[in-house]
Amino acid sequence: DDDDDDDDDDDDDGDKLVPFDDIDDDMRDERYLFGGWREGDGAGDSQAAMRNLLRRQQRLVSGARRTHGAARSDAEAQAQQAASGYVEVPVYLIQCLDGLRDTNDYLRHQVALESVERLAATAATTDVDVEATCVEVAAQLVHLSDRFALDNFDTLRRSALVAVTTAAPAACARYLGEQLYEANYDIQQRLLMLDAVNDAALYLSGADGGGGGGSGG
């Protein structure tokens, strides 16, 4: 009869996982530690206590395997996406940040870098907080390194930085101006920031033939 009861308990608990946040507390509870089972808590004897502990450990292992399996599936999906040459193109400027920060998927990284200039031009009508987004993208671009050895990396990065500075001139010019006096930049990064502010100003004034002057900017 005891064996039947144990089987029933296993069936009942088979699909019930203890939340990860709660497992540590349960495992530390003196009732479930070896040699620390209290009398009068309905567990019976030490063998019953041992079975309860083993069941909890099995649930933990099962939960960890499911979590690992989900993470592995995501990684495999990303690998297949890169291998197939397909990558999701950003629709909003803020979506470029994930691709710019990607250090594994070169195609996603390249598409994000190429999309910044286009999406910055429409950010005022598509992104919720244009200034904050442009500053965040600008910061990412300034610190960006050519980890994938893209043929036109320097041109793409400069054009992208000019575009976000043009989209949010006050916020980006303030940010870039402040960064010029920081100590953690090399000469190329400083020149990049100066060129971006200069080119954005020329565009907005219409001095380079851009549309800024005609719109009253």
Side-chain angles (χ1 to χ4, degrees), residues 39-214:
E39 295 182 358
D41 56 10
D45 52 19
S46 60
Q47 291 183 350
M50 179 71 72
R51 286 195 294 269
N52 273 283
L53 176 60
L54 291 177
R55 277 198 292 269
R56 288 178 178 275
Q57 290 174 329
Q58 288 171 352
R59 293 184 200 130
L60 175 60
V61 171
S62 177
R65 285 176 177 172
R66 294 185 186 182
T67 301
H68 175 72
R72 183 177 179 181
S73 298
D74 291 341
E76 290 175 348
Q78 292 178 357
Q80 291 175 354
Q81 174 176 293
S84 65
Y86 167 80
V87 64
E88 185 176 355
V89 178
V91 178
Y92 303 103
L93 180 61
I94 196 170
Q95 293 177 332
C96 295
L97 285 169
D98 288 338
L100 293 175
R101 293 166 179 159
D102 197 323
T103 59
N104 298 313
D105 190 340
Y106 83 93
L107 186 57
R108 185 186 185 202
H109 181 80
Q110 181 177 5
V111 169
L113 183 57
E114 292 174 344
S115 300
V116 171
E117 184 176 8
R118 170 178 57 85
L119 295 175
T122 58
T125 58
T126 57
D127 286 66
V128 176
D129 193 341
V130 181
E131 290 192 347
T133 299
C134 287
V135 169
E136 193 170 359
V137 174
Q140 188 65 37
L141 290 168
V142 170
H143 291 89
L144 201 63
S145 61
D146 189 12
R147 61 177 64 90
F148 297 111
L150 300 178
D151 292 336
N152 54 345
F153 172 80
D154 290 333
T155 300
L156 286 173
R157 181 169 68 155
R158 175 170 174 166
S159 298
L161 189 55
V162 171
V164 294
T165 305
T166 302
C172 287
R174 184 186 312 111
Y175 167 77
L176 295 174
E178 292 172 350
Q179 296 305 302
L180 281 172
Y181 296 97
E182 296 295 327
N184 57 332
Y185 294 104
D186 58 32
I187 187 63
Q188 292 182 335
Q189 289 173 307
R190 296 180 194 280
L191 289 174
L192 173 66
M193 290 187 277
L194 287 171
D195 288 341
V197 173
N198 179 71
D199 290 354
L202 289 175
Y203 177 84
L204 292 171
S205 69
D208 69 340

